[in-house]
């Protein structure tokens, strides 16, 4: 037993971990994905992967997503998962640095067994051509998938060209082909960027959680 590691919180044996991604139950196992970099300081981030039978004891596996494609060569950033017809879909943001600035796109990885992962040949599934005119491609990330009435939706955080926080909604019928539906939020009151959106249905109401960047502090705020 490794005494320096916590009993009930998953940790990696080596390296740096951050945002949990795509947590799901698939093929009899709980699957935990997370932002991972092998060295102490983050660089080209992968999707780490661990599985569990009881949510207490985890087995650390090889990373599920490696940044080795033209659209994610500088990082496989946060995203989510969805299980459909016995197949596990992972959707994540590919980060790419260019001479003209950063490019962020949304991409799909597919697994039939929860251990072997293959990038969809049609990646990126959402890119600049799919965005409304006022959206930036350099701050366009963290896709969160959910289903509503047999149709699939994904929430994606964005910064507008005039530095306004936005939340974009895209729609699909097969989890592979996505079209822009509408902008759910566009507000100066939420800073310049919305990250890590998540939506759940609770008591027949859809609840939205997100992380705003660039909020201005106000007098007497508790933080």
């Amino acid at each position: 037993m490794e005494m320096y590691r916590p009993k009930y919180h998953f940790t990696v044996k080596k390296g740096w971990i951050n945002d949990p991604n795509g947590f799901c139950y698939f093929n009899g196992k709980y699957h935990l994905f997370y932002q991972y970099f092998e060295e102490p300081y983050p660089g080209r981030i992968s999707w780490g992967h661990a599985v569990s039978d009881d949510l207490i004891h985890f087995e650390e596996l090889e990373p599920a997503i490696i940044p080795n494609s033209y659209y994610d060569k500088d990082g496989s950033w946060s995203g989510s998962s969805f299980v459909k017809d016995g197949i596990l879909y992972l959707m994540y943001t590919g980060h790419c640095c260019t001479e003209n600035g950063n490019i962020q796109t949304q991409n799909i990885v597919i697994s039939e067994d929860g251990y072997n992962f293959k990038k969809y040949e049609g990646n990126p599934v959402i890119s600049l051509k799919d965005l409304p005119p006022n959206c930036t491609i350099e701050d366009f990330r963290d896709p969160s998938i959910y289903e509503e009435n047999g149709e699939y939706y994904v929430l994606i955080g964005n910064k507008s060209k005039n530095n306004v926080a936005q939340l974009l909604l895209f729609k699909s019928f097969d989890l592979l082909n996505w079209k822009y539906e509408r902008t759910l939020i566009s507000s100066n009151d939420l800073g310049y960027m919305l990250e890590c959106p998540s939506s759940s249905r609770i008591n027949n109401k859809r609840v939205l959680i997100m992380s705003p960047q660039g909020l201005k502090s106000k007098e007497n705020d508790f933080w």
Side-chain angles (χ1 to χ4, degrees):
M1 180 178 178
E2 296 171 300
M3 300 300 295
Y4 65 93
R5 302 180 75 184
K7 290 184 178 180
Y8 300 112
H9 299 278
F10 171 75
T11 59
V12 292
K13 294 180 180 179
K14 176 185 177 182
W16 174 96
I17 61 174
N18 196 21
D19 304 9
N21 300 146
F23 179 71
C24 63
Y25 187 78
F26 179 67
N27 279 4
K29 296 279 187 179
Y30 294 100
H31 292 260
L32 174 66
F33 304 94
Y34 46 89
Q35 299 281 265
Y36 174 69
F37 183 65
E38 187 173 354
E39 301 301 327
Y41 185 80
R44 294 172 64 249
I45 296 173
S46 303
W47 268 40
H49 182 204
V51 296
S52 174
D53 294 316
D54 57 10
L55 296 178
I56 297 175
H57 305 93
F58 281 88
E59 177 188 1
E60 184 178 349
L61 304 175
E62 291 297 313
I65 305 176
I66 302 293
N68 57 5
S69 303
Y70 77 90
Y71 48 79
D72 65 5
K73 67 181 184 66
D74 295 298
S76 303
W77 287 13
S78 291
S80 57
S81 67
F82 198 89
V83 177
K84 175 190 175 187
D85 298 332
I87 297 176
L88 175 59
Y89 295 81
L90 306 179
M91 191 172 191
Y92 73 100
T93 295
H95 184 71
C96 180
C97 301
T98 74
E99 294 180 355
N100 298 318
N102 297 333
I103 296 175
Q104 295 182 352
T105 58
Q106 315 312 319
N107 305 280
I108 293 286
V109 168
I110 298 171
S111 177
E112 296 182 356
D113 60 6
Y115 292 92
N116 297 285
F117 298 86
K118 183 179 180 180
K119 292 181 180 178
Y120 174 51
E121 61 184 11
N123 285 339
V125 294
I126 307 177
S127 58
L128 179 62
K129 64 180 176 58
D130 305 300
L131 290 176
N134 192 40
C135 298
T136 62
I137 192 65
E138 63 267 20
D139 287 292
F140 173 55
R141 54 185 174 269
D142 308 337
S144 179
I145 301 174
Y146 66 93
E147 181 181 4
E148 192 77 32
N149 297 324
E151 299 171 340
Y152 306 100
Y153 296 89
V154 63
L155 300 165
I156 306 177
N158 183 243
K159 180 177 72 174
S160 75
K161 291 181 179 178
N162 54 338
N163 294 323
V164 173
Q166 298 192 137
L167 185 62
L168 311 179
L169 182 68
F170 291 78
K171 181 178 178 180
S172 175
F173 294 99
D174 61 4
L175 293 169
L176 298 175
N177 298 281
W178 296 87
K179 289 187 177 181
Y180 170 75
E181 184 80 357
R182 62 183 183 274
T183 298
L184 292 179
I185 297 173
S186 181
S187 173
N188 279 311
D189 293 334
L190 293 173
Y192 57 78
M193 173 68 191
L194 293 177
E195 287 192 317
C196 300
S198 179
S199 178
S200 299
R201 184 165 287 282
I202 301 175
N203 294 331
N204 206 34
K205 293 183 179 180
R206 186 154 290 283
V207 177
L208 175 65
I209 300 174
M210 54 195 170
S211 298
Q213 284 188 308
L215 283 179
K216 296 180 180 180
S217 61
K218 299 178 181 179
E219 187 177 359
N220 298 323
D221 280 349
F222 66 89
W223 61 80

